[in-house]
Amino acid sequence: MGNQQFGPLVDGDDIARELRVRTSNLEYKTIRGSKMKLILEKVAIEEKEGWSKSKRNSKSYKLSKPKPEDEKLEDELWCIVAKMGFKELSSGRNFTIETKKDPNPRQIDVFAKDDEVALIIECTQCATPTKKNMSKLIDKIASFKGGISKSITSYYGREKKIKPKFIIATRNVEWGKADIEKCKNEQISILTDTELDYYKSLTQFLKSAARYQFNAHLFAGADVPALNKRIPATRGTMGGVKFYNFLISPDDLLKISYVGHKASRSEDDIETYQRMLQPKRMKAIANYIDDGGKFPTNIVINMKTSRNRSLQFETNSPKDEISYGTLTLPNKFGTAWVIDGQHRLYGYAYRNMERAPRNDKSVLSVLAFE
């Protein structure tokens, strides 16, 4: 990792602790003193600043007040990505990234990273639905995108191949067509009220598996180098259609998988997932897995490939009806449509991860069509 200013970050159990704080719509502070009279004098001063008494102890007073509106949106985004299972997140309100060309580190509202990608999120909102010119914020992000991307590569190491994505998240902002087009040209993703509500609901439903759908949206069609994976496989044909058999870890398959759903992202579309992925069944399968259960049958998927870029398969026996070799999986999110076995697959993401082995060696048998 590099030595530039990059943080503060939280991971592991610290994410759960900060999640409890950020989930609340209130912020707290504690007033301490040697005598209660002195404490109450300090409390009276804080009450003039909008704080209210919350809990009294023998030598302290806990105060609370509603979070500022801008912090509420930041916390909402932070909680969404935390519940999705991103492994490293920004901590507090002063997360900064230093770049070589700028002596002043850049403050980032929300930063989230998993094994393949890093999200750099800027948040803005209005009290009521309002048309707002977003051009200045877009220009600001465009100006530091390159430097921030290089700093992420420097900090985590080039071999990690972390792909960054810059995002503007808004509440009550009515976007103009020109600003939407400008974001598209600058490759900046937009999350509006509709998408935020959708992903909050999807995360409640799919748990950490919602991250794979989220990444598939943000990185649609983009090559993600860290997804590159080569696995032993067999190739054959069925009714003139190529198919492949291979073993793969549930986590690796989840990263590139999706279940049939509409292209839009609204809370109404959650019903599509509920029809295809039933929570009670996923929970039962998760418990079955935690108890040592195994699945003898294939997960059936269909690999989406472009017309001029089919799956790469290296074999020493290309003329045989059944070939043995090495299959290179697509390095894009959302390329494997799960035709059968979605409950078995998503049960791994739905399971109680606190009980799951840290070095889980589970693999799934897959039948893949192209």
Side-chain angles (χ1 to χ4, degrees), residues 31 35-47:
I31 303 300
K35 296 181 179 180
M36 185 53 66
K37 181 181 178 181
L38 179 59
I39 293 173
L40 290 174
E41 289 175 356
K42 292 180 179 178
V43 168
I45 295 172
E46 295 294 343
E47 286 180 318

Side-chain angles (χ1 to χ4, degrees), residues 236-248:
T237 59
M238 187 182 299
V241 178
K242 290 180 183 177
F243 72 87
Y244 302 86
N245 270 122
F246 55 85
L247 299 176
I248 189 171

Side-chain angles (χ1 to χ4, degrees), residues 101-172:
K101 293 184 178 180
D102 191 342
N104 300 311
R106 291 283 182 180
Q107 189 273 332
I108 305 297
D109 290 341
V110 178
F111 176 85
K113 174 197 164 289
D114 62 13
D115 292 335
E116 295 83 25
V117 304
L119 311 183
I120 303 92
I121 308 173
E122 292 293 306
C123 302
T124 186
Q125 70 178 55
C126 300
T128 58
T130 306
K131 289 184 179 180
K132 185 173 182 179
N133 189 325
M134 303 295 290
S135 184
K136 287 185 178 179
L137 179 57
I138 298 169
D139 288 339
K140 172 189 168 185
I141 295 173
S143 70
F144 65 63
K145 267 181 62 186
I148 294 293
S149 297
K150 290 178 181 177
S151 293
I152 290 171
T153 299
S154 174
Y155 184 78
Y156 288 105
R158 191 171 297 277
E159 70 280 358
K160 296 288 185 181
K161 299 179 181 178
I162 300 300
K163 190 176 184 71
K165 170 57 70 173
F166 293 82
I167 302 164
I168 298 176
T170 63
R171 279 281 186 199
N172 289 326

Side-chain angles (χ1 to χ4, degrees), residues 223 227-236 241-246 248 253 256 301-315 325-332 334-337 366-370:
D223 289 335
L227 284 178
N228 278 329
K229 190 168 187 63
R230 288 162 50 86
I231 54 176
T234 59
R235 183 180 66 185
V241 178
K242 290 180 183 177
F243 72 87
Y244 302 86
N245 270 122
F246 55 85
I248 189 171
L253 183 55
I256 61 172
I301 65 174
N302 184 45
M303 293 284 198
K304 291 198 306 181
T305 56
S306 60
R307 292 180 179 178
N308 57 357
R309 191 177 178 183
S310 61
L311 290 173
Q312 297 178 37
F313 184 74
E314 298 174 15
T315 178
T326 301
L327 176 66
T328 300
L329 296 178
N331 63 345
K332 293 179 173 65
T335 53
W337 173 30
V366 176
L367 171 62
F369 291 95
E370 182 180 4

